[in-house]
Amino acid sequence: MTAPRALPAPHDTPLDLGGRTALVTGAAGGIGHACALRLAAAGAKVRAVDRDATGLEALAGAARGLPGTVEPHLLDLTDLDAAELAAAGTDVLVNNAGLQLVRPIEEFPPDVFRTVLTVMLEAPFRLIRGALPHMYGQGWGRVVNVSSVHGLRASAYKSAYVAAKHGLEGLSKTTALEGAPHGVTSNCVNPAYVRTPLVEKQIADQARAHGIPEERVLSEVLLQDSAVKRLIEPEDVAEAVAYLCGPRAAFVTGTSLVLDGGWTAH
């Protein structure tokens, strides 16, 4: 019988990513911004990927003085070859970038549907594909896919987003199965509605779709199925991402860490 692996004492397991390179997509704002800062606070050298140059510049400023570094990397994830190349040599990959449009299926623009799946499903596949050779070579890696409660449940008027997140869940599980023999874990983090610019835009879109004032959208639509009646903060999601990169999460793989305020408890 193999001897049990010695673990540090529970009080002595801080997240230490010193010497590690992390890549975070959609890093210019919201969840991605919070994740980049959290990983840099743990000592990682963070490649912050986004197409928003101004947001990346602000992120780099916010990271000054942290143990790690943040290196802005201007990239449009619809350039799939460039995305795969950018992931080479990374130890931690956080697939976070996303976009949203709220429309009935019969009114949903096909070009937007295609773009959503490209950015939120095909680009993560290419990023994982680019990152795995290095992770496999060193026998350690962490893939964290920022999914959503909509990776587990559907909502009307969000066909592209729901389809992409459901696909991301399957991609993450497949990555976990293939990566396990190489010391690589892959998991999803599944928040409900987070206080981000993306959600603020959704409130306006949902108001139009449901024909109600914006002030009623939060309580009557977005948080209707949540037992905890508030938005999640980006930093809460970043802490869940950090946990999955930490020493106590080495056996956590192929699963979804749900932060939904009780939505899926129904």
Side-chain angles (χ1 to χ4, degrees), residues 135-141 174-185 253:
M135 293 181 180
Y136 284 3
Q138 68 182 0
W140 190 93
T174 301
T175 304
L177 295 177
E178 294 185 15
H182 306 279
V184 175
T185 66
T253 196

Side-chain angles (χ1 to χ4, degrees), residues 123-175:
F125 160 71
R126 295 293 294 272
L127 287 154
I128 292 169
R129 189 174 187 271
L132 285 182
H134 171 72
M135 293 181 180
Y136 284 3
Q138 68 182 0
W140 190 93
R142 296 290 180 265
V143 177
V144 183
N145 300 297
V146 180
S147 181
S148 164
V149 69
H150 284 109
L152 307 173
R153 298 287 190 273
S155 289
Y157 311 123
K158 298 181 180 180
S159 56
Y161 190 88
V162 170
K165 292 301 190 184
H166 273 65
L168 186 63
E169 295 281 330
L171 174 63
S172 183
K173 291 174 183 177
T174 301
T175 304

Side-chain angles (χ1 to χ4, degrees), residues 59-235:
L59 171 64
R64 292 192 184 100
L66 293 177
T69 60
V70 170
E71 297 180 354
H73 191 115
L74 196 63
L75 176 65
D76 187 332
L77 290 177
T78 60
D79 186 343
L80 296 170
D81 290 339
E84 183 170 329
L85 185 62
T90 55
D91 306 299
V92 175
L93 172 61
V94 180
N95 284 313
N96 165 73
L99 59 153
Q100 175 68 281
L101 180 67
V102 180
R103 293 286 189 281
I105 291 173
E106 70 275 16
E107 298 175 12
F108 207 101
D111 59 326
V112 176
F113 190 95
R114 185 180 307 111
T115 299
V116 170
L117 263 68
T118 298
V119 171
M120 294 172 56
L121 183 54
E122 192 169 4
F125 160 71
R126 295 293 294 272
L127 287 154
I128 292 169
R129 189 174 187 271
L132 285 182
H134 171 72
M135 293 181 180
Y136 284 3
Q138 68 182 0
W140 190 93
R142 296 290 180 265
V143 177
V144 183
N145 300 297
V146 180
S147 181
S148 164
V149 69
H150 284 109
L152 307 173
R153 298 287 190 273
S155 289
Y157 311 123
K158 298 181 180 180
S159 56
Y161 190 88
V162 170
K165 292 301 190 184
H166 273 65
L168 186 63
E169 295 281 330
L171 174 63
S172 183
K173 291 174 183 177
T174 301
T175 304
L177 295 177
E178 294 185 15
H182 306 279
V184 175
T185 66
S186 176
N187 294 285
C188 287
V189 171
N190 300 66
Y193 292 100
V194 184
R195 195 184 305 279
T196 65
L198 184 69
V199 167
E200 291 172 359
K201 182 179 182 300
Q202 280 190 61
I203 291 174
D205 285 346
Q206 289 278 13
R208 285 190 293 270
H210 291 275
I212 61 175
E214 290 187 17
E215 57 269 20
R216 290 173 53 193
V217 170
L218 191 61
S219 61
E220 296 182 19
V221 179
L222 299 191
L223 300 180
Q224 181 181 15
D225 293 322
S226 177
V228 180
K229 301 296 185 182
R230 66 171 177 84
L231 296 176
I232 306 166
E233 299 302 327
E235 292 75 15

Side-chain angles (χ1 to χ4, degrees), residues 5-75:
R5 182 171 60 91
L7 287 173
H11 61 272
D12 191 29
T13 56
L15 178 60
D16 180 4
L17 294 176
R20 301 288 191 187
T21 297
L23 186 151
V24 179
T25 66
I31 295 171
H33 177 101
C35 287
L37 292 180
R38 179 65 182 89
L39 298 179
K45 176 182 176 182
V46 180
R47 296 177 190 169
V49 172
D50 208 295
R51 62 180 182 179
D52 178 359
T54 302
L56 287 178
E57 182 179 352
L59 171 64
R64 292 192 184 100
L66 293 177
T69 60
V70 170
E71 297 180 354
H73 191 115
L74 196 63
L75 176 65

